[in-house]
């Protein structure tokens, strides 16, 4: 059974940095793509960053230039380096992975890690 486990969240002051990690277990395949989403209280979950198996990336406009997504395919791990954090970045951050094999698409979510940015 595939599991995604996030770590690295916490409390940080405005302008600080955090690095989130998401480690996958239970599969020998590299995911087709991996993402970080976030959900703030009272708001819908939103896509923050995306990375494909070839390393190509996309970011939400709100985090461009501040966040960097990367992955280690051999370890099936994805990272999110967050710099110049703002109070509006406060949210639960979720790791997401997508894998299609034999025509079957599988979607996986982590349990989330809290990021709180104090002003």
């Amino acid at each position: 059974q595939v599991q995604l486990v996030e770590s690295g969240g916490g409390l940080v002051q405005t302008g600080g940095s955090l690095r989130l990690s998401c480690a996958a277990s239970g599969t020998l395949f590299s995911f087709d793509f991996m993402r970080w989403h976030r959900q703030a209280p009272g708001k819908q979950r939103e896509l923050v960053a995306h990375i494909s198996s070839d390393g190509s990336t996309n970011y939400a406009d709100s985090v461009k230039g501040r966040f960097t997504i990367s992955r280690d395919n051999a370890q099936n791990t994805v990272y999110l380096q967050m710099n110049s954090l703002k109070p509006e970045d406060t949210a639960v951050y979720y790791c997401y992975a997508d894998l299609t094999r034999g025509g079957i698409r599988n979607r996986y979510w982590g349990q989330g890690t809290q990021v709180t940015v104090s002003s």
Side-chain angles (χ1 to χ4, degrees):
Q1 184 177 356
V2 175
Q3 286 189 318
L4 303 179
V5 179
E6 300 104 332
S7 60
L11 174 64
V12 64
Q13 291 185 333
T14 296
S17 299
L18 284 173
R19 188 189 193 216
L20 305 183
S21 299
C22 172
S25 62
T27 178
L28 297 177
F29 299 106
S30 293
F31 297 105
D32 297 319
F33 60 86
M34 302 183 79
R35 292 173 171 168
W36 287 97
H37 293 249
R38 67 185 180 187
Q39 187 167 18
K43 295 187 177 181
Q44 289 189 329
R45 191 172 297 189
E46 63 174 351
L47 175 62
V48 175
H50 167 107
I51 186 166
S52 299
S53 57
D54 64 359
S56 58
T57 59
N58 284 294
Y59 298 92
D61 288 342
S62 59
V63 306
K64 281 181 181 177
R66 301 188 297 121
F67 290 11
T68 302
I69 189 171
S70 60
R71 66 187 287 179
D72 182 336
N73 288 334
Q75 299 295 325
N76 257 344
T77 300
V78 64
Y79 305 96
L80 187 67
Q81 178 66 43
M82 305 185 294
N83 298 328
S84 302
L85 283 161
K86 306 175 181 180
E88 50 264 43
D89 295 317
T90 295
V92 178
Y93 284 70
Y94 296 91
C95 175
Y96 170 85
D98 201 285
L99 176 65
T100 298
R101 287 297 180 272
I104 299 174
R105 183 178 182 181
N106 297 285
R107 301 173 174 89
Y108 305 101
W109 288 94
Q111 81 288 352
T113 185
Q114 177 70 46
V115 171
T116 303
V117 184
S118 62
S119 57

